[in-house]
Amino acid sequence: MRLPSILRTAAPSVAIQFTSRGVSGIALGRRGGAPVVAAHAVEPLPAGAITPSLTAQNVADRRGVVRAVSRVLERLGG
């Protein structure tokens, strides 16, 4: 079954991952019609900046996380 065009979206070209140790990201491109990793970046986080939890606040150091995400996106080219 094919979805109507209004419901179809393009695949994202950038992915960001958050862990307690850092922020990482990749940017996808195309070469010869095939998807390829065009850029990647990893930025460490200060200890305790992000804590995995289902029931508590996850981000303790908002500024540190924002700085790391900004650096990753800058290195990915956007």
Side-chain angles (χ1 to χ4, degrees):
M1 182 173 130
R2 189 171 169 107
L3 292 173
S5 63
I6 195 167
L7 298 178
R8 282 184 257 144
T9 60
S13 61
V14 173
I16 303 290
Q17 177 183 12
F18 298 87
T19 69
S20 60
R21 296 177 59 196
V23 177
S24 58
I26 64 165
L28 297 177
R30 292 214 167 260
R31 186 171 298 140
V36 295
V37 175
H40 62 90
V42 177
E43 284 293 327
L45 285 172
I50 293 180
T51 305
S53 175
L54 292 174
T55 59
Q57 180 177 340
N58 297 96
V59 178
D61 180 359
R62 183 179 184 278
R63 286 189 177 135
V65 173
V66 168
R67 277 193 302 272
V69 170
S70 296
R71 287 192 298 262
V72 165
L73 290 174
E74 184 177 298
R75 290 173 52 201
L76 294 179

